[in-house]
């Protein structure tokens, strides 16, 4: 999110030294070059501020983080792509991403060398850009309700990545959706979800998703995995955690790694 610019009138050098300020004002009246310089400086700052709010460079990625409560778990997926490629190796050649803003993730994946990417947007697409419309038109991104069986054959994708979509589902639907996500994967499922007490997915419009996000604890998710006979992928999980231990990458969301069905 952009920072609020500091208003020049609120900053007084010398801790509010009035004679000092008065002397500056006196000099400014006698120096037209100083006034012109201040005007030019103000114009540069204003242009820079407007550019940063409009998105500028990497506007698509920053747009994902301009939600109340900070960065989303979908943005976290984009940040974690290099780590995921190291953890899963060749299993990242054909990826399905499931979650809001999937067009952004799919576009980032398609930019990677030797990577085939597909996406499912679980909710209606509103105010999308031309690139996202193109992905939908070409069938690369689909809009589908993940509470029902996914429109893919078993093991259609080497890796399935899910972000935020599960936070809006009740346990009743999670018991149906999680096995479906595992079914269409060949080498694993990676789940990005928010931490309890922190607004990661919950800042979104609850009316659009049918219910507010329910952020659960790690133990809650593990119990759900066990109930559905889903096994965690400890090998991939450790490879993913290595950058965190080295200090080069620390996930802002909870990340779970599940094995595919035999």
């Amino acid at each position: 999110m952009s920072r609020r610019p500091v208003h020049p009138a609120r900053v007084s050098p010398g801790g509010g030294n009035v004679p000092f300020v008065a002397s500056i004002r006196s000099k400014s009246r006698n120096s037209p070059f100083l006034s012109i310089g201040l005007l030019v400086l103000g114009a540069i700052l204003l242009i820079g501020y407007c550019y940063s709010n409009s998105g500028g460079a990497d506007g698509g990625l920053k747009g994902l983080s301009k939600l109340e409560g900070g960065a989303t778990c979908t943005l976290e997926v984009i940040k974690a792509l290099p780590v995921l490629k190291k953890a899963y190796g060749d299993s990242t050649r054909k990826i399905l991403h499931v979650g809001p803003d999937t067009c952004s993730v799919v576009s980032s994946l398609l930019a990677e060398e030797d990577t085939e990417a597909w996406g499912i947007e679980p909710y209606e697409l509103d105010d999308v850009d031309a690139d996202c419309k193109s992905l939908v038109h070409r069938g690369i991104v689909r809009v589908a309700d993940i509470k029902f069986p996914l429109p893919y054959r078993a093991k259609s994708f080497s890796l399935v990545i899910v972000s935020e979509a599960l936070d809006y589902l009740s346990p009743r639907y999670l018991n149906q959706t999680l096995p479906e996500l595992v079914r269409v994967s060949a080498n694993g499922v990676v789940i990005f979800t928010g931490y309890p007490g922190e607004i990661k997915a919950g800042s979104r419009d609850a009316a659009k998703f049918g219910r507010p996000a329910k952020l659960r604890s790690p133990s809650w998710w593990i119990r759900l995995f066990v109930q559905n006979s889903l096994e965690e992928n400890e090998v991939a999980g450790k490879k993913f955690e290595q950058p965190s231990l080295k200090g080069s990458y620390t996930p802002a969301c909870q990340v779970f790694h599940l094995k595919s069905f035999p």
Side-chain angles (χ1 to χ4, degrees), residues 116-197:
E116 182 181 345
W118 304 81
I120 289 183
E121 168 64 58
Y123 311 101
E124 294 182 5
L125 289 169
D126 297 323
D127 301 326
V128 296
D129 57 23
D131 291 337
C132 186
K133 290 180 180 178
S134 175
L135 291 173
V136 174
H137 180 72
R138 291 154 57 192
I140 296 176
V141 170
R142 295 187 179 187
V143 179
D145 192 337
I146 60 174
K147 294 192 296 290
F148 301 97
L150 299 178
Y152 303 107
R153 295 180 179 179
K155 301 185 183 299
S156 293
F157 306 94
S158 55
L159 187 66
V160 174
I161 302 175
V162 191
S163 61
E164 300 185 54
L166 303 182
D167 293 313
Y168 293 95
L169 297 183
S170 65
R172 170 191 171 189
Y173 288 116
L174 284 172
N175 291 332
Q176 302 174 25
T177 300
L178 279 172
E180 271 294 289
L181 294 169
V182 175
R183 179 185 67 83
V184 300
S185 71
N187 297 303
V189 176
V190 185
I191 298 172
F192 288 75
T193 183
Y195 282 102

Side-chain angles (χ1 to χ4, degrees), residues 72-74 98-100 122-123 146 162-171 174 177 191-196 198-204 209 211-217 220-221 253-254 256:
T72 68
C73 289
T74 297
V98 181
Y123 311 101
I146 60 174
V162 191
S163 61
E164 300 185 54
L166 303 182
D167 293 313
Y168 293 95
L169 297 183
S170 65
L174 284 172
T177 300
I191 298 172
F192 288 75
T193 183
Y195 282 102
E198 296 185 15
I199 304 177
K200 292 296 180 185
S203 58
R204 296 175 178 274
F209 304 112
R211 56 180 291 154
K214 185 72 172 179
L215 307 183
R216 289 106 170 183
S217 67
W220 190 95
W221 283 108
C253 300
Q254 296 184 92
F256 299 98

Side-chain angles (χ1 to χ4, degrees), residues 70-113:
T72 68
C73 289
T74 297
L75 178 59
E76 189 66 24
V77 172
I78 298 175
K79 291 170 57 180
L81 286 180
V83 183
L84 287 169
K85 291 182 76 69
K86 290 181 179 180
Y88 285 89
D90 291 340
S91 296
T92 58
R93 292 186 179 274
K94 188 176 182 181
I95 297 177
L96 172 68
H97 174 262
V98 181
D101 302 311
T102 191
C103 287
S104 299
V105 178
V106 170
S107 296
S108 298
L109 288 169
L110 291 175
E112 298 285 329
E113 187 177 357

Side-chain angles (χ1 to χ4, degrees), residues 32 37 62:
K62 291 181 180 178

Side-chain angles (χ1 to χ4, degrees), residues 11-34:
V11 180
S12 57
N17 192 326
V18 176
F20 184 76
V21 174
S23 66
I24 292 178
R25 290 177 178 173
S26 176
K27 291 180 181 179
S28 67
R29 287 195 296 267
N30 297 327
S31 177
F33 295 104
L34 179 60

